[in-house]
Amino acid sequence: MDPTSCMKGLVMAGSQFRNNRSDANILQLQRQIELMISLTMKGRSVKFFNPQQILPMECLSCLCDVIEDHHTPAALSHKTIVLLNNLASYPDIRDAMHTTFNFTSSLAIFLQYHTQSPGEPLVLQENVKSIYRTLIAYVSHSNQSIVVYSFSILSNLCLNEEIGEKVFNAKNIYQTFQLIFNIIVNGDSSHVRGFTCDLFIGLLKSPKIQQSVVIYEHFEACLMQVLHLITMDTESATKIFELLLSFCSVNGLRCTVCRALLNTPSLQDPDRYQPQIHQRQITEPFFALVHWAGQSVETHDQAPLFALDLLKEIFEEVIDSGLSAQLSPRTDVVVPMAVEQLTPPCDTDGSVLKLKCLKTVKALDVLLDILSIR
């Protein structure tokens, strides 16, 4: 059977399995997965499995559904893990598994369920301590990707468990913050930087982690390093904005982010920013933020939307904390950019039109906040 037929067969069998978990459908899905395992074994070409194409993405979606379903039979789960392991050997596929489907979280849920289920025949239940020890050992690995993946699995698997109290306790958490910030700032690649931002965003969902990061003594210095990334790393901009927005969602951190962006001498100089200047020539984080907010969603997707969200957070903090008398919000720079986004979109397809309309709404929100500044 050719690879395309195998992928179509897997997607169809996965759909039938979701609709009816009969023995026949389980067996059919398992057979299709076994075929894919043989096609993706080490040494085989996987050019047919291009994560930028629809059919391979549908296959990954199917596999994600299988491992997230607690009622999936053990034998089928095992085959699915084997296939995922094969696919994860290829960088492009591995990136899609992480960025599009968040398989780290899915695998953590899978591990957590199967290590806690009484009578579960999977080897995982017997070796859970070994899994934890292995993951903790990988935190000191020289490969940054392995470090981030290990932390991601640990946080998803045990952050709220007893072992999580030991891994992310008050003694270790500040070292963890420093390690994460170091990888974000000095990451081997934009992919590693993006994965690390996702890890930090996930950690910040924990109230205990939030409390720890608020009192982390090096946070402001690390924050400034992260902010400067938006002046030079175009590939990671979206993830960096997501991380900054997560900081703003933590009680006590939004003011720090606001001051870090606005409280610089160059912001007081009206001649330091020219709207048409190329992004790579901008060295001031706030001006880079304004630049990103004005970019097209057709070429930069979510980054301009997140940039506008961050501007909204900054101006709301200026209003709520009465900082306008202390900090220059540089509305002279932001207003022209925001007004420019109000031009009605035309000649675009449905998905792009939706993004452009959303951008217009966000620009209006920013302008409304600016009008409230006194």
Side-chain angles (χ1 to χ4, degrees), residues 13-174:
S15 177
Q16 292 173 340
F17 171 74
R18 285 194 302 272
N19 295 329
N20 181 7
R21 288 170 172 73
S22 66
D23 291 342
N25 286 342
I26 292 172
L27 185 59
Q28 178 62 18
L29 178 55
Q30 187 167 320
R31 285 173 178 167
Q32 293 299 326
I33 290 176
E34 288 171 349
L35 287 173
M36 287 296 296
I37 290 173
S38 65
L39 288 173
T40 57
M41 292 177 64
K42 189 174 182 180
R44 302 289 295 269
S45 173
V46 292
K47 290 183 179 179
F48 68 90
F49 204 95
N50 184 346
Q52 301 298 320
Q53 296 177 348
I54 294 176
L55 191 54
M57 294 293 276
E58 289 180 340
C59 288
L60 289 176
S61 178
C62 169
L63 298 174
C64 185
D65 290 341
V66 172
I67 63 170
E68 287 186 344
D69 187 345
H70 297 333
H71 301 292
T72 299
L76 180 57
S77 295
H78 175 71
K79 295 291 183 182
T80 304
I81 294 297
V82 172
L83 176 54
L84 289 172
N85 185 59
N86 286 2
L87 294 171
S89 301
Y90 303 93
D92 290 345
I93 301 175
R94 182 170 62 242
D95 289 346
M97 291 168 67
H98 179 85
T99 58
T100 304
F101 294 97
N102 193 17
F103 265 100
T104 300
S105 177
S106 299
L107 288 170
I109 293 171
F110 172 83
L111 284 168
Q112 191 172 40
Y113 176 77
H114 286 291
T115 54
Q116 293 178 350
S117 301
E120 178 60 53
L122 291 179
V123 177
L124 293 172
Q125 184 180 352
E126 301 170 11
N127 294 326
V128 62
K129 290 184 178 180
S130 175
I131 292 172
Y132 286 142
R133 283 196 297 269
T134 300
L135 290 170
I136 292 171
Y138 278 146
V139 167
S140 301
H141 201 279
S142 59
N143 186 304
Q144 290 182 342
S145 295
I146 292 177
V147 173
V148 175
Y149 286 138
S150 300
F151 261 126
S152 294
I153 295 173
L154 277 170
S155 64
N156 279 282
L157 189 59
C158 65
L159 183 58
N160 298 314
E161 305 295 330
E162 182 178 349
I163 190 169
E165 297 289 336
K166 298 177 181 178
V167 175
F168 299 100
N169 62 22
K171 180 180 178 180
N172 296 331
I173 193 60
Y174 300 117

Side-chain angles (χ1 to χ4, degrees), residues 297 305 345 352-363:
V297 292
L305 302 180
V352 176
L353 179 61
K354 181 178 179 180
L355 287 175
K356 286 190 172 183
C357 290
L358 182 58
K359 188 181 181 187
T360 299
V361 172
K362 291 179 181 294

Side-chain angles (χ1 to χ4, degrees), residues 6 45 54 76 103 123 278 280 301 340 368 370:
C6 284
S45 173
I54 294 176
L76 180 57
F103 265 100
V123 177
H278 193 278
R280 292 184 179 179
D301 197 34
E340 194 174 297
L368 287 172
I370 289 174

